[in-house]
Amino acid sequence: EDGAEAQLRTSEDGAKAQLRTSEDGAKAQLRTSEDGAEAQLRTSEDGAKAQLRASEDGAEAQLRTSEDWAEAQLRTKEILTAQGIQGEQIQQVIDAGIMSNYPDGLFHPERGMVRAELAAILVKNFDLGLREGNGEEIILRDVPRNHWAYEEIQIVVRTGIMTVDDRGRFLPDLPVTRAAGWAAFAQAYGVLPFGEGEVARLLSPYGDRGQIPAWGREAIATMVFEELINVNGSRLYPDRPITRGEMVYTLSQYLAKQQNPGTIPSIPLDP
């Protein structure tokens, strides 16, 4: 009897132990499930918040970009107005393939130009490649063959439209002054055969005419006579950097003359 009673107690204890183990396991699984559900909920909430923040950040960035673009366009319009240039003139020059916008999609008429850019513009506008003489390569110390404007620079030097210094350098990154830009344009256009008296008369309205280099006087007189430059007031400011907007005006005037040759005035002669 004692053995049977002991076995019974052992069996009951084992059953109770298994029951407790089962209950503990069920509770542990329930807690794990609840913890997992809570973790998933937190993850979902965190993800939703992150997406919302990203959406808000993206919307704010787009708004800033839109505002910056609108502000840039407004600045461009103000600059064009100050320079006496119309937006249509810029588009005309772009459509002609002579100049282009910057990678940001804006033209930036207020920016200056360097000699390499001027060379490229002149070659495109006047088809200078058709005027080349012997076409032999000219060795330029500062313009390697992999330079982006190598061919254009070779052409303007070979045709005599632009020159090199006494050390054989073209100086492609040198900023272009108004006097140098106008003179180079006139060389490509064709400097008119004015006498010194006519040159003096054409330049006489400008109080700073004495600042024009001797090498540029006849060329700039040609630009004035042909109405290819936009000068407000009584000063030419020949030493100032020429801007992209000012070059647009000159190109637009030139293109208009090509479309309507009747606007080209006759050449005055010295008495």
Side-chain angles (χ1 to χ4, degrees):
E1 291 178 357
D2 291 339
E5 185 177 352
Q7 286 181 338
L8 178 60
R9 281 198 303 272
T10 299
S11 178
E12 289 174 350
D13 291 342
K16 288 179 182 179
Q18 286 181 337
L19 178 60
R20 283 197 302 272
T21 300
S22 178
E23 290 175 348
D24 290 343
K27 289 179 181 179
Q29 286 182 334
L30 178 60
R31 282 198 303 272
T32 299
S33 178
E34 290 174 346
D35 290 343
E38 185 177 354
Q40 286 182 334
L41 178 60
R42 283 198 303 271
T43 300
S44 179
E45 290 175 347
D46 291 343
K49 289 179 181 178
Q51 286 182 332
L52 178 60
R53 283 197 302 271
S55 179
E56 290 174 346
D57 290 343
E60 184 178 354
Q62 285 182 335
L63 178 60
R64 284 198 302 270
T65 299
S66 179
E67 290 173 346
D68 290 344
W69 177 266
E71 184 179 351
Q73 286 185 318
L74 179 60
R75 285 198 305 271
T76 297
K77 186 175 181 180
E78 292 172 347
I79 292 166
L80 293 178
T81 300
Q83 295 184 354
I85 304 165
Q86 301 295 324
E88 293 79 4
Q89 291 174 299
I90 288 181
Q91 194 58 51
Q92 179 188 27
V93 170
I94 291 175
D95 290 343
I98 303 171
M99 299 179 73
S100 60
N101 287 329
Y102 277 85
D104 64 2
L106 298 174
F107 189 78
H108 294 290
E110 78 285 0
R111 293 185 180 178
M113 298 171 53
V114 297
R115 282 169 56 84
E117 292 173 314
L118 178 60
I121 288 171
L122 295 177
V123 169
K124 292 175 184 177
N125 187 63
F126 292 101
D127 289 328
L128 294 182
L130 302 178
R131 301 188 193 177
E132 285 193 82
N134 55 25
E136 292 182 3
E137 181 182 23
I138 297 176
I139 303 301
L140 301 172
R141 296 179 56 187
D142 56 349
V143 184
R145 291 184 178 179
N146 61 354
H147 190 282
W148 68 268
Y150 175 81
E151 291 297 336
E152 290 85 352
I153 291 172
Q154 284 284 319
I155 291 172
V156 294
V157 173
R158 284 198 293 259
T159 54
I161 303 301
M162 298 177 72
T163 60
V164 299
D165 67 7
D166 55 6
R167 297 172 58 186
R169 300 176 304 172
F170 183 79
L171 305 175
D173 298 321
L174 182 70
V176 179
T177 63
R178 299 176 99 189
W182 291 338
F185 195 96
Q187 290 294 334
Y189 179 81
V191 176
L192 298 178
F194 294 133
E196 182 53 39
E198 191 59 34
V199 169
R201 186 187 71 79
L202 287 167
L203 299 179
S204 63
Y206 307 106
D208 57 354
R209 58 187 177 277
Q211 298 176 21
I212 300 174
W215 49 259
R217 283 175 54 81
E218 191 174 5
I220 292 176
T222 296
M223 298 290 283
V224 170
F225 178 74
E226 294 286 0
E227 300 177 344
L228 291 171
I229 57 178
N230 185 22
V231 180
N232 294 320
S234 60
R235 300 185 70 83
L236 291 168
Y237 300 105
D239 294 330
R240 284 186 180 178
I242 193 168
T243 66
R244 286 166 57 83
E246 289 165 346
M247 181 54 65
V248 161
Y249 181 88
T250 294
L251 290 167
S252 178
Q253 289 292 96
Y254 171 80
L255 293 174
K257 288 179 180 294
Q258 301 309 299
Q259 295 168 3
N260 185 10
T263 61
I264 300 176
S266 58
I267 300 175
L269 300 175
D270 289 340

